PDB file of all heavy atoms in Angstrom:
ATOM      1  N   ALA A  92     -27.654 -12.486 -15.670  1.00  0.00           N
ATOM      2  CA  ALA A  92     -26.742 -13.022 -16.624  1.00  0.00           C
ATOM      3  C   ALA A  92     -25.372 -13.409 -16.067  1.00  0.00           C
ATOM      4  O   ALA A  92     -24.540 -13.946 -16.742  1.00  0.00           O
ATOM      5  CB  ALA A  92     -26.531 -12.053 -17.824  1.00  0.00           C
ATOM      6  N   GLY A  93     -25.107 -13.087 -14.802  1.00  0.00           N
ATOM      7  CA  GLY A  93     -23.852 -13.393 -14.204  1.00  0.00           C
ATOM      8  C   GLY A  93     -22.796 -12.387 -14.415  1.00  0.00           C
ATOM      9  O   GLY A  93     -21.583 -12.591 -14.111  1.00  0.00           O
ATOM     10  N   TRP A  94     -23.163 -11.189 -14.903  1.00  0.00           N
ATOM     11  CA  TRP A  94     -22.155 -10.206 -15.165  1.00  0.00           C
ATOM     12  C   TRP A  94     -21.591  -9.542 -13.921  1.00  0.00           C
ATOM     13  O   TRP A  94     -20.453  -8.970 -13.988  1.00  0.00           O
ATOM     14  CB  TRP A  94     -22.745  -9.074 -16.046  1.00  0.00           C
ATOM     15  CG  TRP A  94     -22.862  -9.464 -17.453  1.00  0.00           C
ATOM     16  CD1 TRP A  94     -22.769 -10.728 -18.007  1.00  0.00           C
ATOM     17  CD2 TRP A  94     -23.032  -8.618 -18.616  1.00  0.00           C
ATOM     18  NE1 TRP A  94     -22.927 -10.709 -19.372  1.00  0.00           N
ATOM     19  CE2 TRP A  94     -23.082  -9.389 -19.801  1.00  0.00           C
ATOM     20  CE3 TRP A  94     -23.168  -7.188 -18.750  1.00  0.00           C
ATOM     21  CZ2 TRP A  94     -23.198  -8.875 -21.057  1.00  0.00           C
ATOM     22  CZ3 TRP A  94     -23.353  -6.687 -19.992  1.00  0.00           C
ATOM     23  CH2 TRP A  94     -23.378  -7.449 -21.165  1.00  0.00           C
ATOM     24  N   VAL A  95     -22.255  -9.669 -12.815  1.00  0.00           N
ATOM     25  CA  VAL A  95     -21.685  -9.072 -11.596  1.00  0.00           C
ATOM     26  C   VAL A  95     -20.396  -9.922 -11.166  1.00  0.00           C
ATOM     27  O   VAL A  95     -19.421  -9.372 -10.754  1.00  0.00           O
ATOM     28  CB  VAL A  95     -22.738  -9.112 -10.436  1.00  0.00           C
ATOM     29  CG1 VAL A  95     -22.072  -8.879  -9.077  1.00  0.00           C
ATOM     30  CG2 VAL A  95     -23.778  -8.053 -10.689  1.00  0.00           C
ATOM     31  N   GLU A  96     -20.536 -11.243 -11.369  1.00  0.00           N
ATOM     32  CA  GLU A  96     -19.353 -12.066 -11.047  1.00  0.00           C
ATOM     33  C   GLU A  96     -18.305 -12.068 -12.163  1.00  0.00           C
ATOM     34  O   GLU A  96     -17.097 -12.145 -11.882  1.00  0.00           O
ATOM     35  CB  GLU A  96     -19.780 -13.540 -10.812  1.00  0.00           C
ATOM     36  CG  GLU A  96     -20.571 -13.739  -9.524  1.00  0.00           C
ATOM     37  CD  GLU A  96     -22.069 -13.377  -9.638  1.00  0.00           C
ATOM     38  OE1 GLU A  96     -22.465 -13.047 -10.795  1.00  0.00           O
ATOM     39  OE2 GLU A  96     -22.698 -13.359  -8.616  1.00  0.00           O
ATOM     40  N   ARG A  97     -18.699 -12.023 -13.443  1.00  0.00           N
ATOM     41  CA  ARG A  97     -17.851 -12.111 -14.574  1.00  0.00           C
ATOM     42  C   ARG A  97     -18.166 -10.942 -15.489  1.00  0.00           C
ATOM     43  O   ARG A  97     -18.614 -11.143 -16.566  1.00  0.00           O
ATOM     44  CB  ARG A  97     -17.999 -13.459 -15.248  1.00  0.00           C
ATOM     45  CG  ARG A  97     -17.685 -14.691 -14.387  1.00  0.00           C
ATOM     46  CD  ARG A  97     -18.009 -15.977 -15.110  1.00  0.00           C
ATOM     47  NE  ARG A  97     -19.379 -16.054 -15.600  1.00  0.00           N
ATOM     48  CZ  ARG A  97     -20.363 -16.439 -14.787  1.00  0.00           C
ATOM     49  NH1 ARG A  97     -20.141 -16.701 -13.513  1.00  0.00           N
ATOM     50  NH2 ARG A  97     -21.614 -16.491 -15.276  1.00  0.00           N
ATOM     51  N   ALA A  98     -17.838  -9.757 -15.050  1.00  0.00           N
ATOM     52  CA  ALA A  98     -18.206  -8.600 -15.810  1.00  0.00           C
ATOM     53  C   ALA A  98     -17.308  -8.448 -17.042  1.00  0.00           C
ATOM     54  O   ALA A  98     -16.080  -8.607 -17.007  1.00  0.00           O
ATOM     55  CB  ALA A  98     -17.975  -7.335 -14.961  1.00  0.00           C
ATOM     56  N   PRO A  99     -17.934  -8.246 -18.235  1.00  0.00           N
ATOM     57  CA  PRO A  99     -17.105  -8.003 -19.446  1.00  0.00           C
ATOM     58  C   PRO A  99     -16.364  -6.708 -19.382  1.00  0.00           C
ATOM     59  O   PRO A  99     -16.908  -5.662 -19.056  1.00  0.00           O
ATOM     60  CB  PRO A  99     -18.150  -8.034 -20.548  1.00  0.00           C
ATOM     61  CG  PRO A  99     -19.409  -7.601 -19.910  1.00  0.00           C
ATOM     62  CD  PRO A  99     -19.376  -8.094 -18.488  1.00  0.00           C
ATOM     63  N   SER A 100     -15.046  -6.754 -19.714  1.00  0.00           N
ATOM     64  CA  SER A 100     -14.189  -5.576 -19.528  1.00  0.00           C
ATOM     65  C   SER A 100     -14.628  -4.455 -20.527  1.00  0.00           C
ATOM     66  O   SER A 100     -14.270  -3.297 -20.277  1.00  0.00           O
ATOM     67  CB  SER A 100     -12.765  -5.938 -19.742  1.00  0.00           C
ATOM     68  OG  SER A 100     -12.509  -6.490 -21.065  1.00  0.00           O
ATOM     69  N   PHE A 101     -15.373  -4.792 -21.618  1.00  0.00           N
ATOM     70  CA  PHE A 101     -15.697  -3.719 -22.566  1.00  0.00           C
ATOM     71  C   PHE A 101     -16.548  -2.636 -21.908  1.00  0.00           C
ATOM     72  O   PHE A 101     -16.583  -1.492 -22.358  1.00  0.00           O
ATOM     73  CB  PHE A 101     -16.393  -4.295 -23.753  1.00  0.00           C
ATOM     74  CG  PHE A 101     -17.876  -4.586 -23.585  1.00  0.00           C
ATOM     75  CD1 PHE A 101     -18.824  -3.578 -23.727  1.00  0.00           C
ATOM     76  CD2 PHE A 101     -18.326  -5.892 -23.256  1.00  0.00           C
ATOM     77  CE1 PHE A 101     -20.185  -3.871 -23.567  1.00  0.00           C
ATOM     78  CE2 PHE A 101     -19.657  -6.137 -23.050  1.00  0.00           C
ATOM     79  CZ  PHE A 101     -20.583  -5.107 -23.233  1.00  0.00           C
ATOM     80  N   VAL A 102     -17.273  -3.062 -20.846  1.00  0.00           N
ATOM     81  CA  VAL A 102     -18.141  -2.056 -20.168  1.00  0.00           C
ATOM     82  C   VAL A 102     -17.314  -0.950 -19.530  1.00  0.00           C
ATOM     83  O   VAL A 102     -17.621   0.228 -19.599  1.00  0.00           O
ATOM     84  CB  VAL A 102     -18.998  -2.725 -19.053  1.00  0.00           C
ATOM     85  CG1 VAL A 102     -19.808  -1.679 -18.310  1.00  0.00           C
ATOM     86  CG2 VAL A 102     -19.936  -3.771 -19.682  1.00  0.00           C
ATOM     87  N   TRP A 103     -16.151  -1.323 -18.896  1.00  0.00           N
ATOM     88  CA  TRP A 103     -15.290  -0.339 -18.306  1.00  0.00           C
ATOM     89  C   TRP A 103     -14.729   0.601 -19.375  1.00  0.00           C
ATOM     90  O   TRP A 103     -14.654   1.829 -19.163  1.00  0.00           O
ATOM     91  CB  TRP A 103     -14.167  -0.976 -17.515  1.00  0.00           C
ATOM     92  CG  TRP A 103     -14.522  -2.154 -16.704  1.00  0.00           C
ATOM     93  CD1 TRP A 103     -13.764  -3.296 -16.518  1.00  0.00           C
ATOM     94  CD2 TRP A 103     -15.721  -2.407 -15.969  1.00  0.00           C
ATOM     95  NE1 TRP A 103     -14.373  -4.189 -15.738  1.00  0.00           N
ATOM     96  CE2 TRP A 103     -15.569  -3.676 -15.362  1.00  0.00           C
ATOM     97  CE3 TRP A 103     -16.869  -1.690 -15.763  1.00  0.00           C
ATOM     98  CZ2 TRP A 103     -16.606  -4.291 -14.576  1.00  0.00           C
ATOM     99  CZ3 TRP A 103     -17.900  -2.273 -15.005  1.00  0.00           C
ATOM    100  CH2 TRP A 103     -17.769  -3.506 -14.386  1.00  0.00           C
ATOM    101  N   TRP A 104     -14.356   0.030 -20.504  1.00  0.00           N
ATOM    102  CA  TRP A 104     -13.742   0.883 -21.554  1.00  0.00           C
ATOM    103  C   TRP A 104     -14.799   1.722 -22.240  1.00  0.00           C
ATOM    104  O   TRP A 104     -14.534   2.820 -22.754  1.00  0.00           O
ATOM    105  CB  TRP A 104     -12.982   0.042 -22.556  1.00  0.00           C
ATOM    106  CG  TRP A 104     -11.754  -0.583 -21.850  1.00  0.00           C
ATOM    107  CD1 TRP A 104     -11.561  -1.872 -21.543  1.00  0.00           C
ATOM    108  CD2 TRP A 104     -10.628   0.139 -21.431  1.00  0.00           C
ATOM    109  NE1 TRP A 104     -10.352  -2.030 -20.854  1.00  0.00           N
ATOM    110  CE2 TRP A 104      -9.729  -0.840 -20.802  1.00  0.00           C
ATOM    111  CE3 TRP A 104     -10.223   1.511 -21.468  1.00  0.00           C
ATOM    112  CZ2 TRP A 104      -8.527  -0.441 -20.260  1.00  0.00           C
ATOM    113  CZ3 TRP A 104      -8.975   1.846 -20.923  1.00  0.00           C
ATOM    114  CH2 TRP A 104      -8.169   0.851 -20.298  1.00  0.00           C
ATOM    115  N   LEU A 105     -16.061   1.226 -22.251  1.00  0.00           N
ATOM    116  CA  LEU A 105     -17.145   2.016 -22.746  1.00  0.00           C
ATOM    117  C   LEU A 105     -17.363   3.256 -21.856  1.00  0.00           C
ATOM    118  O   LEU A 105     -17.539   4.372 -22.393  1.00  0.00           O
ATOM    119  CB  LEU A 105     -18.506   1.206 -22.748  1.00  0.00           C
ATOM    120  CG  LEU A 105     -19.755   2.003 -23.063  1.00  0.00           C
ATOM    121  CD1 LEU A 105     -19.715   2.589 -24.456  1.00  0.00           C
ATOM    122  CD2 LEU A 105     -20.975   1.114 -22.887  1.00  0.00           C
ATOM    123  N   ALA A 106     -17.235   3.041 -20.511  1.00  0.00           N
ATOM    124  CA  ALA A 106     -17.310   4.176 -19.565  1.00  0.00           C
ATOM    125  C   ALA A 106     -16.187   5.163 -19.837  1.00  0.00           C
ATOM    126  O   ALA A 106     -16.438   6.421 -19.758  1.00  0.00           O
ATOM    127  CB  ALA A 106     -17.304   3.691 -18.153  1.00  0.00           C
ATOM    128  N   VAL A 107     -14.939   4.646 -20.061  1.00  0.00           N
ATOM    129  CA  VAL A 107     -13.883   5.555 -20.328  1.00  0.00           C
ATOM    130  C   VAL A 107     -14.154   6.392 -21.598  1.00  0.00           C
ATOM    131  O   VAL A 107     -14.016   7.597 -21.623  1.00  0.00           O
ATOM    132  CB  VAL A 107     -12.577   4.755 -20.570  1.00  0.00           C
ATOM    133  CG1 VAL A 107     -11.437   5.701 -20.976  1.00  0.00           C
ATOM    134  CG2 VAL A 107     -12.179   4.062 -19.255  1.00  0.00           C
TER     135      VAL A 107
END
Side-chain angles (χ1 to χ4, degrees):
W94 281 18
V95 168
E96 290 82 6
R97 300 176 301 278
S100 60
F101 81 84
V102 176
W103 319 143
W104 294 108
L105 172 64
V107 173

